[in-house]
Amino acid sequence: MIDEVKKHLVTVEAFQADTHEAVEAFRISYAGKKGILNALFAAFREVAPAEKKEYGQLLNSLKQAVADKVKTLQSQTSQGTQTGTIADPFRPAFPLEIGSRHPLSLVRNRIIDIFSQVGFSISEGPEIEDDWHNFTALNLPEYHPARDMQDTFFIQTDPDILLRTHTSSVQVRYMENNTPPIRTLSPGRVFRNEAISARAHCIFHQIEGLYIDEKVSFADLKQMLLYFTKSLFGKSKIRLRPSYFPFTEPSAEVDIYWGLETETDYRITKGTGWLEIMGCGMVDPNVLSNCGIDSEKYSGYAFGMGIERIAMLLYQIGDIRMFFENDVRFLKQFKGSL
Ligand code: DAH
C-alpha cells in the first residue's frame, strides 16, 4: 500500500500538461469524487496498524502534491494562447511580420509634418466635385482654354459633376468656409483623363497649400518654399520660373537644384541639374472674391505639388505605375520608414 502511494507521488511530481483540458483531467483523476485520493483514503482502514502513521503522512503529501501541481499547471495554461499552449516567459517573441507604410503615405506625412511646424492645418475635400469648385471659382470659367490643361473625367449624366482634377478645389471650399488668416494644407487624390505611362497616371495625389492674410507677399512665398525644400530634400537652391495658372497671378514653377554628381542626376535632370517640383503663385484676387474674401484687404499665396513626383525623386523610383501595382517586393523596401 505504501509503495502504491509512493509511486503516485513520483507520477504526480513528474506530471506535465500543456492544455487546460489535460490539467483538468489530471485533477479529476486524483482529486475527483471517484478519484485516486479518495480511494487511497478509503483504503486507510486496511493498512496494517504499524504502517498507518507512514501511510497517513505519505497520503497527505500526495494530496498536497496534487493540489500544488494542479495550481501550477492551471496558472501556466491560463497564460497560454487560446489553444492552451503553456506560456513560456523566456521564449523569444514570435517574429511579428509588420507591414510597411506605402511610399506615398510616407512622403505625404513628411510634407504634412514640415508644414504643420509652421502652423498649417490639414483640410480635405470631396473627390467627386462640382464645376464651380474645380474650375469656375478658380478663375477657369466655362470654355476657358486653360481647362484643356487638365483632361477631365466628367460624370456622364451630369456635366456639372466631375472627378476633381486637382486639390486646388479644396482651397475654394476652405476659403468659402473660413475667414483669414488661413493656413491650410490639403492632401488628396486627383483624377485626369490621361493615358497611363511611366510618367503619368490617371489617378494620382497632390498636396495643395494656401496661406491668406493681410499683406502676404511673394517674398513670403519664396521664403516658405526655401524652408520646405530645405526640410524635405536638404537642398536650399531653388529657382522660380514664370508660369501660368489661372488661379494665381503672378504664377511660377519651382525648380530645385538637384546637382549633377552622378549619372542618375544627369538622367533625371536631363543634364541641367534642375528639377521641377511644384507650381505656385499669389492667389488671384478674383479667386478671393469668388470665395467671399475681401481681396482689397487680404492677399495670399498657394502652391500645389504631385506627391508621386516628389516620391519618385526622393526614392529614385523610375515608373509611376509602381505606386499602384501593390507588388510586395516594391512595398517591402519601405519597411521601417516612418
Ligand atoms: N492645381 C495645379 C495643377 O494641378 C497645381 C497648382 C499650381 C496649385 C499653382 C496651386 C498653384 O495652388 O498656386 O497643376
Side-chain angles (χ1 to χ4, degrees), residues 288-299:
L288 293 177
S289 343
N290 284 342
C291 302
I293 289 177
D294 181 353
S295 59
E296 298 285 320
K297 188 169 173 201
Y298 294 107
S299 57

Side-chain angles (χ1 to χ4, degrees), residues 279-327:
C280 66
M282 300 305 291
V283 181
D284 192 302
N286 279 346
V287 176
L288 293 177
S289 343
N290 284 342
C291 302
I293 289 177
D294 181 353
S295 59
E296 298 285 320
K297 188 169 173 201
Y298 294 107
S299 57
Y301 62 69
F303 54 85
M305 64 191 113
I307 303 182
E308 281 79 359
R309 184 174 174 75
I310 308 267
M312 286 167 84
L313 294 175
L314 278 176
Y315 298 123
Q316 301 286 303
I317 296 164
D319 192 320
I320 196 172
R321 288 170 290 202
M322 301 193 105
F323 292 118
F324 308 108
E325 280 164 358
N326 289 330
D327 184 332

Side-chain angles (χ1 to χ4, degrees), residues 150 165-166 168 171 192 206 208 245 247-248 279-281 302-304:
Q150 303 183 353
T165 57
H166 53 182
S168 303
Q171 276 191 30
R192 303 240 178 126
Q206 289 187 332
E208 188 84 9
F245 300 103
F247 31 90
T248 44
C280 66
F303 54 85

Side-chain angles (χ1 to χ4, degrees), residues 34 55 67 75 83 122 137 152 154 176 208 250 252 271 321 327:
K34 294 181 183 156
Y55 183 85
S75 77
T83 54
I122 306 298
T152 311
F154 287 96
E176 283 174 342
E208 188 84 9
R321 288 170 290 202
D327 184 332

Side-chain angles (χ1 to χ4, degrees), residues 71-87:
K71 205 170 155 198
T72 331
L73 290 180
Q74 268 174 352
S75 77
Q76 282 175 357
T77 52
S78 67
Q79 279 168 22
T81 60
Q82 278 174 345
T83 54
T85 316
I86 289 182

